[in-house]
Amino acid sequence: GNSVTQMEGPVTLSEEAFLTINCTYTATGYPSLFWYVQYPGEGLQLLLKATKADDKGSNKGFEATYRKETTSFHLEKGSVQVSDSAVYFCALRLGAQKLVFGQGTRLTINP
Amino acid sequence: EPEVTQTPSHQVTQMGQEVILRCVPISNHLYFYWYRQILGQKVEFLVSFYNNEISEKSEIFDDQFSVERPDGSNFTLKIRSTKLEDSAMYFCASRTPGLAGGPSYEQYFGPGTRLTVT
């Protein structure tokens, strides 16, 4: 079946630290890959996406590269801010079908 | 910017009671979804809805669940007789029809309704 595995949280970093949140997937076809973010009290927002192998998605200083050979889509940011504190979800989608999510990683950035 | 809204933000109900969770999707969207997240677990797909019928549902979506688009703006999830294990955050999402892989395939999520069954 199709599934997504994320690194377990919570993750706590200091401001300006480098961030990596690992995500690996299992899929029967060629999925599109996503990172969603949920800020406190808000809904899930699309952060970035990649639709084919070697694509790099980027937004707000975050990046993730679709690695077919390692079935991974790790989220990175070079210098995090307090405002990046949120829960991050990795997800895949095959075609127009439903999203399959990872379990989410809670990130806290301390000033 | 248009957004998906959900009401209520928090619903507390007793086991065995019926609940209706409400969603107002973005106005020109035609595909609608419900997902849920039990505390500390993954966000799970429940059901998708298009053209006034269910297009896909998960194993979770049993006979106790139903969805409806009663008018041109609302999309509801009904749980007929709630169980303790239905306690979760329920997310509604919507998208436009669009070309495969295009940006209009993106699902836009609401803020969620936290359902607590006691």
Side-chain angles (χ1 to χ4, degrees):
Chain A
N2 303 312
S3 65
V4 175
T5 302
Q6 288 181 235
M7 68 185 283
E8 296 213 7
V11 173
T12 302
L13 296 172
S14 297
E15 208 165 18
E16 299 183 4
F18 183 86
L19 168 71
T20 300
I21 301 178
N22 290 337
C23 171
T24 57
Y25 68 90
T26 302
T28 52
Y30 299 99
S32 295
L33 301 174
F34 304 84
W35 277 100
Y36 281 82
V37 58
Q38 185 180 30
Y39 299 105
E42 299 184 18
L44 296 166
Q45 299 175 26
L46 179 63
L47 179 60
L48 53 85
K49 67 174 185 178
T51 57
K52 61 184 188 297
D54 300 325
D55 268 3
K56 179 187 281 188
S58 61
N59 186 26
K60 299 182 181 179
F62 291 89
E63 292 183 340
T65 301
Y66 189 142
R67 300 283 187 206
K68 188 179 169 191
E69 63 277 12
T70 54
T71 61
S72 64
F73 193 56
H74 304 322
L75 182 68
E76 295 181 337
K77 187 174 185 181
S79 176
V80 293
Q81 306 300 313
V82 172
S83 56
D84 294 327
S85 298
V87 181
Y88 291 81
F89 295 89
C90 186
L92 68 81
R93 189 190 69 212
L94 284 162
Q97 298 173 23
K98 60 183 183 280
L99 288 161
V100 176
F101 287 90
Q103 71 269 37
T105 302
R106 182 175 297 279
L107 174 68
T108 301
I109 308 299
N110 293 321
Chain B
E1 186 175 332
E3 58 184 18
V4 177
T5 59
Q6 290 185 243
T7 55
S9 57
H10 190 191
Q11 172 94 42
V12 180
T13 189
Q14 289 191 325
M15 195 167 53
Q17 295 296 303
E18 175 184 286
V19 295
I20 297 175
L21 309 183
R22 291 184 166 77
C23 169
V24 179
I26 295 172
S27 63
N28 64 337
H29 286 190
L30 297 180
Y31 290 81
F32 312 111
Y33 305 82
W34 284 101
Y35 294 81
R36 78 171 187 190
Q37 184 185 28
I38 295 172
L39 188 63
Q41 298 186 25
K42 298 184 179 188
V43 177
E44 303 170 291
F45 167 78
L46 292 178
V47 65
S48 58
F49 190 86
Y50 171 70
N51 200 26
N52 280 322
E53 60 183 31
I54 291 172
S55 44
E56 186 179 358
K57 60 183 182 179
S58 72
E59 295 172 351
I60 303 167
F61 195 88
D62 61 22
D63 292 344
Q64 292 300 310
F65 291 87
S66 61
V67 289
E68 191 179 28
R69 188 152 163 82
D71 53 41
S73 59
N74 289 284
F75 179 52
T76 62
L77 174 69
K78 181 193 291 186
I79 308 175
R80 217 175 314 278
S81 176
T82 50
K83 308 185 191 75
L84 294 176
E85 54 265 36
D86 294 327
S87 295
M89 180 73 87
Y90 288 81
F91 294 104
C92 173
S94 68
R95 70 168 177 90
T96 61
L99 296 176
S104 52
Y105 258 28
E106 302 318 326
Q107 295 178 26
Y108 293 82
F109 284 80
T113 293
R114 180 167 296 286
L115 176 65
T116 303
V117 183
T118 61

